[in-house]
Amino acid sequence: MAVIGLGGLGHMAVQIAHAMGSEVTVLSQTLSKKEDVLELGADHYYATSDPATFENLAGHFDLIINTVSAKIDINAYFGLLTLDGTLVNVGAPGEPLSVNVHYLIGQRRSFAGSLIGGIRETQKMLDFCAQHNIVPKIEVISADQIDEAYERVLASDVKYRFVIDISTM
């Protein structure tokens, strides 16, 4: 399986997939987070800015989870799926993604979305994470750093979640 993006959602997806026994590949714009990727449990790491990535990994994945909340060319990733493979979108871009169905129907590929489970599913996930010592990587900030944190999010300068110390409010 592959995870697109190594941000707040992506770094958790890598840890959970690894704990579930999956061979995990991270697909990120650059290779700048390689050390983090391997520490989180990924087996492979490729830069999507390199066109060879899409050639070398064509038809490789049963499952791809897109955690990116920016607009990307989602169609480019459909070619990485196997026959009957599925790409699940969990990131929420601010503008619509354009999907070319021809990338789906020729290989019986699926495109799905997910937001969150109910209370029972959430509790199962929390229990699983506790059992496998899966925790988010966070940076605690004070309330007066919110504007700076927002700018850092836009610049992709977060590893991997900001948490606001409520006592500074």
Side-chain angles (χ1 to χ4, degrees):
M1 68 91 56
V3 175
I4 304 171
L6 191 73
L9 290 173
H11 90 287
M12 294 301 293
V14 169
Q15 293 179 83
I16 291 168
H18 172 75
M20 294 177 82
S22 292
E23 180 179 338
V24 182
T25 297
V26 172
L27 304 170
S28 189
Q29 289 180 357
T30 69
L31 297 178
S32 65
K33 299 177 183 176
K34 185 173 186 173
E35 191 174 303
D36 290 350
V37 166
L38 298 175
E39 180 184 309
L40 291 168
D43 300 287
H44 312 284
Y45 184 47
Y46 294 92
T48 57
S49 57
D50 181 357
T53 293
F54 292 91
E55 294 170 22
N56 295 337
L57 298 176
H60 188 77
F61 301 106
D62 298 311
L63 173 66
I64 300 174
I65 299 178
N66 177 25
T67 68
V68 176
S69 290
K71 186 175 182 180
I72 63 171
D73 179 9
I74 201 71
N75 296 298
Y77 295 90
F78 292 136
L80 303 181
L81 291 169
T82 60
L83 179 71
D84 293 324
T86 300
L87 192 153
V88 179
N89 207 83
V90 296
E95 48 189 292
L97 296 176
S98 179
V99 174
N100 182 338
V101 297
H102 294 285
Y103 291 112
L104 299 173
I105 58 179
Q107 295 291 314
R108 296 189 321 237
R109 297 172 177 143
S110 299
F111 183 46
S114 181
L115 184 57
I116 191 167
I119 292 172
R120 181 173 291 129
E121 292 85 1
T122 301
Q123 187 62 57
K124 281 183 176 181
M125 182 271 309
L126 290 171
D127 293 344
F128 182 85
C129 288
Q131 179 183 1
H132 295 278
N133 196 31
I134 297 171
V135 296
K137 293 187 176 284
I138 64 166
E139 182 178 334
V140 178
I141 62 168
S142 61
D144 64 350
Q145 293 176 294
I146 291 173
D147 290 337
E148 176 189 336
Y150 179 73
E151 293 300 321
R152 286 182 55 200
V153 167
L154 295 177
S156 296
D157 180 30
V158 185
K159 289 190 175 180
Y160 285 92
R161 285 283 186 198
F162 285 123
V163 175
I164 302 167
D165 180 350
I166 199 71
S167 72
T168 65
M169 303 271 308

